[in-house]
């Protein structure tokens, strides 16, 4: 699979799983993401600003044993076509779906950025399922801890505690909000980190007791330089360190934007979206291995191809 391009599933259809995540459950990898498989629209706002969008279709799921051959499992959460007030209505925004498995309840919990077309709601939605291939039942939408929330991810720590990382204060600062034990809500505890650094698209992992967060800058669908931050605990004082990308176009994250970091066979990999704002359904993907140095730096060189594991 050529990094940076749109990939196909085992049936030869374009993989529609943008802004996604990959988790492993019982030996199988599951890739969830935004299905953007429709034509672009231009949304015009009262401010005069415009943004390219695709009406909400739903959240796709693909499965694989080797992270290379992906089988489409269908839409695990579908848009709402009738009720304009519903957070999943086709006219809204549903982005960056992240799924975590809760060992205590045995449920798969899906968090996503839900918004109005002009991004003025700035909240999250939560859905649950008994099965990784859905269907997921939508539980609620909320503005977590009364703080605006746009790009986000969910991170499950070693002790089973899960956290919502979300850009807040109009993307100026990152919040890390602890989830309830069943992962379906925030529990009220949160910290604000990377104050005024204007980072979004957070992707988080932990290695040898150090936590790392890769983020992008805030330039909508356009690429910019990634930065990584690190911290010895999830809710401590995160420090921005450097751009982890190396090689040509490293200052533009190889024309991609971070969506998630997953672990496979002891190694960590960064997923990128290569947004095509003129035709979002053709936005490409990359998966790049992450090298963690002995002095806690991340190095992410470009690779032409993703060969799986
Ligand atoms: C990006 C964000 C995407 C999407 C886009 C819309 O900054 O990372 O998830 O929200 O803006 O313009």
């Amino acid at each position: 699979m050529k990094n940076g391009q749109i990939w196909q599933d085992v049936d030869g259809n374009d993989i529609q799983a943008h802004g996604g995540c990959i988790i492993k459950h019982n030996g199988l990898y599951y890739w969830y993401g935004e299905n953007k498989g429709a034509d672009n629209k231009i949304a015009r706002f009262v401010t005069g600003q415009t943004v390219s969008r695709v009406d909400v279709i739903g959240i796709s799921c693909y499965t694989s044993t080797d992270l290379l051959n992906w089988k489409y499992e269908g839409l695990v959460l579908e848009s709402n076509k009738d009720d304009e007030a519903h957070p999943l209505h086709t006219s809204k925004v549903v982005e960056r779906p992240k799924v975590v498995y809760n060992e205590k309840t045995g449920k798969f919990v899906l968090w996503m950025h839900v918004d109005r077309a002009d991004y003025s709601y700035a909240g999250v939605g939560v859905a649950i399922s008994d099965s990784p291939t859905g269907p997921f039942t939508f539980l609620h939408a909320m503005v977590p801890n009364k703080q605006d929330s746009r790009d986000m991810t969910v991170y499950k720590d070693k002790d089973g505690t899960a956290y919502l990382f979300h850009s807040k204060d109009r993307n100026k600062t990152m919040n890390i909000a602890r989830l309830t034990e069943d992962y379906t809500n925030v529990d009220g505890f949160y910290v604000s980190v990377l104050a005024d650094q204007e980072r979004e698209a957070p992707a988080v992992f932990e290695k040898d007791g150090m936590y790392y967060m890769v983020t992008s800058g805030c330039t909508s669908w356009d690429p910019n330089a990634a930065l990584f931050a690190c911290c010895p605990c999830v809710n401590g004082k995160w420090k921005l360190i450097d751009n982890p990308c190396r090689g040509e176009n490293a200052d533009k994250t190889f024309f991609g934007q971070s969506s998630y970091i997953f672990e496979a066979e002891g190694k960590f990999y960064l997923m990128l979206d290569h947004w095509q704002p003129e035709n979002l359904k053709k936005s490409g993907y990359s998966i790049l291995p992450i090298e963690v140095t002995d002095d806690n730096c991340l190095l992410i060189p470009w690779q032409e191809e993703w060969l799986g594991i």
Side-chain angles (χ1 to χ4, degrees):
M1 282 161 142
K2 281 257 178 211
N3 276 328
Q5 299 187 7
I6 183 88
W7 293 345
Q8 279 75 40
D9 64 15
V10 289
D11 295 319
N13 299 315
D14 287 350
I15 293 180
Q16 286 297 331
H18 310 277
C21 69
I22 291 176
I23 63 165
K24 192 177 185 185
H25 189 76
N26 289 341
L28 201 58
Y29 292 101
Y30 295 83
W31 179 358
Y32 303 89
E34 304 158 30
N35 189 314
K36 289 192 153 350
D39 290 340
N40 262 36
K41 286 188 172 170
I42 302 288
R44 287 192 173 74
F45 311 134
V46 278
T47 52
Q49 204 193 335
T50 61
V51 71
S52 327
R53 60 170 276 118
V54 167
D55 278 353
V56 181
I57 296 170
I59 306 306
S60 308
C61 176
Y62 295 80
T63 51
S64 177
T65 52
D66 58 5
L67 293 160
L68 198 59
N69 295 287
W70 292 99
K71 176 175 173 265
Y72 185 46
E73 302 284 353
L75 288 176
V76 293
L77 183 70
E78 284 189 47
S79 63
N80 178 302
K81 281 136 199 112
D82 313 310
D83 177 6
E84 275 186 30
H86 197 281
L88 302 182
H89 187 255
T90 49
S91 63
K92 309 255 171 158
V93 164
V94 178
E95 293 179 338
R96 298 189 175 269
K98 303 290 173 255
V99 175
V100 271
Y101 177 65
N102 189 299
E103 318 276 342
K104 286 187 188 142
T105 62
K107 306 261 187 211
F108 294 84
V109 188
L110 162 59
W111 284 71
M112 64 213 114
H113 172 194
V114 295
D115 225 318
R116 300 191 187 103
D118 64 358
Y119 292 87
S120 63
Y121 173 65
V124 280
V126 185
I128 55 168
S129 174
D130 292 325
S131 154
T133 49
F136 281 79
T137 306
F138 190 74
L139 291 183
H140 49 204
M142 72 182 105
V143 174
N145 300 308
K146 299 187 181 140
Q147 316 262 311
D148 61 324
S149 172
R150 292 188 173 84
D151 278 7
M152 43 69 66
T153 194
V154 171
Y155 175 72
K156 184 171 159 181
D157 200 3
K158 286 177 288 187
D159 65 358
T161 311
Y163 298 84
L164 169 71
F165 285 61
H166 65 95
S167 304
K168 69 135 186 175
D169 286 350
R170 292 224 143 248
N171 298 335
K172 283 197 176 60
T173 293
M174 189 70 63
N175 258 19
I176 303 173
R178 198 170 59 199
L179 304 190
T180 52
E181 277 195 21
D182 66 2
Y183 300 166
T184 63
N185 213 326
V186 289
D187 79 354
F189 172 82
Y190 67 89
V191 291
S192 298
V193 305
L194 309 185
D196 297 322
Q197 298 301 316
E198 305 208 8
R199 308 305 299 168
E200 62 177 13
V204 182
F205 73 105
E206 178 269 338
K207 185 174 189 282
D208 300 331
M210 187 59 91
Y211 293 80
Y212 301 90
M213 172 177 14
V214 174
T215 55
S216 76
C218 303
T219 53
S220 184
W221 303 119
D222 296 333
N224 54 53
L227 287 176
F228 76 92
C230 62
C231 190
C233 58
V234 186
N235 45 40
K237 289 190 166 54
W238 286 80
K239 267 195 193 144
L240 272 181
I241 310 288
D242 202 356
N243 183 349
C245 300
R246 290 292 181 276
E248 212 183 331
N249 304 313
D251 58 338
K252 292 272 186 253
T253 316
F254 319 114
F255 303 111
Q257 185 186 30
S258 43
S259 64
Y260 196 72
I261 292 169
F262 66 87
E263 185 177 357
E265 302 192 346
K267 292 188 182 148
F268 294 92
Y269 297 90
L270 173 68
M271 298 168 73
L272 296 180
D273 291 297
H274 295 261
W275 301 115
Q276 302 291 324
E278 307 304 321
N279 193 9
L280 286 162
K281 64 173 178 295
K282 287 289 179 187
S283 299
Y285 307 104
S286 290
I287 297 180
L288 299 171
I290 302 174
E291 188 194 326
V292 185
T293 68
D294 291 342
D295 56 352
N296 303 123
C297 279
L298 303 186
L299 296 178
I300 308 177
W302 175 246
Q303 284 190 356
E304 287 296 330
E305 235 179 312
W306 167 240
L307 298 168
I309 48 164

